[in-house]
């Protein structure tokens, strides 16, 4: 990842390139230091991608610790879309330097 990104107090942000198409930043994650209330708006398309489907599930209870965005990557009509989306979520969750501190 290229750098820690300025975010409001109580959050951590990281942006960088994960190699989707070119050397431009294509990844961003922001994590709250404490559990946060969230609201989300999603596409109303009947053919929503796997990342949209699992994000809807994750936001359904109105709580979250972070958001990850990957740019320039449709990954909608693929056999591995859901597995890829879940892998990104788990890898972000596993990165201690991005994760909220626990006591």
């Amino acid at each position: 990842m290229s750098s820690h990104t300025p975010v409001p107090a109580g959050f951590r942000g990281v942006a960088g390139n994960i190699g989707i198409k070119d050397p431009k930043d294509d990844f961003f994650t922001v994590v709250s230091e404490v559990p946060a209330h969230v609201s989300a708006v999603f596409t109303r398309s009947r053919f929503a991608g796997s990342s949209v489907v699992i994000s809807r599930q994750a936001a359904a209870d109105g709580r979250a610790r972070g958001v990850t965005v990957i740019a320039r990557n449709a990954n909608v009509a693929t056999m591995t879309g859901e597995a890829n989306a879940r892998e990104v979520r788990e890898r972000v969750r596993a990165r201690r330097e991005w994760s909220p501190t626990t006591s």
Side-chain angles (χ1 to χ4, degrees):
M1 290 299 105
S2 63
S3 65
H4 289 277
T5 303
V7 293
F11 293 86
R12 296 180 191 182
V14 177
N17 178 277
I18 58 174
I20 300 285
K21 288 186 179 179
D22 54 42
K24 296 178 184 173
D25 284 353
D26 53 18
F27 173 90
F28 177 71
T29 193
V30 62
V31 180
S32 173
E33 294 288 341
V34 298
H37 295 281
V38 298
S39 105
V41 176
F42 297 100
T43 180
R44 294 183 349 196
S45 170
R46 292 182 189 187
F47 192 62
S50 300
S51 59
V52 171
V53 173
I54 68 170
S55 294
R56 283 178 179 152
Q57 295 166 353
D61 68 357
R63 297 178 299 143
R65 290 299 286 266
V67 175
T68 297
V69 177
I70 298 176
R72 298 187 310 280
N73 175 34
N75 199 16
V76 175
T78 68
M79 298 299 290
T80 61
E82 182 177 354
N84 292 343
R86 291 188 186 282
E87 179 183 356
V88 167
R89 183 171 65 177
E90 291 307 314
R91 285 184 177 217
V92 168
R93 185 179 294 163
R95 291 293 294 256
R96 289 235 177 257
E97 67 269 27
W98 303 343
S99 299
T101 55
T102 55
S103 30

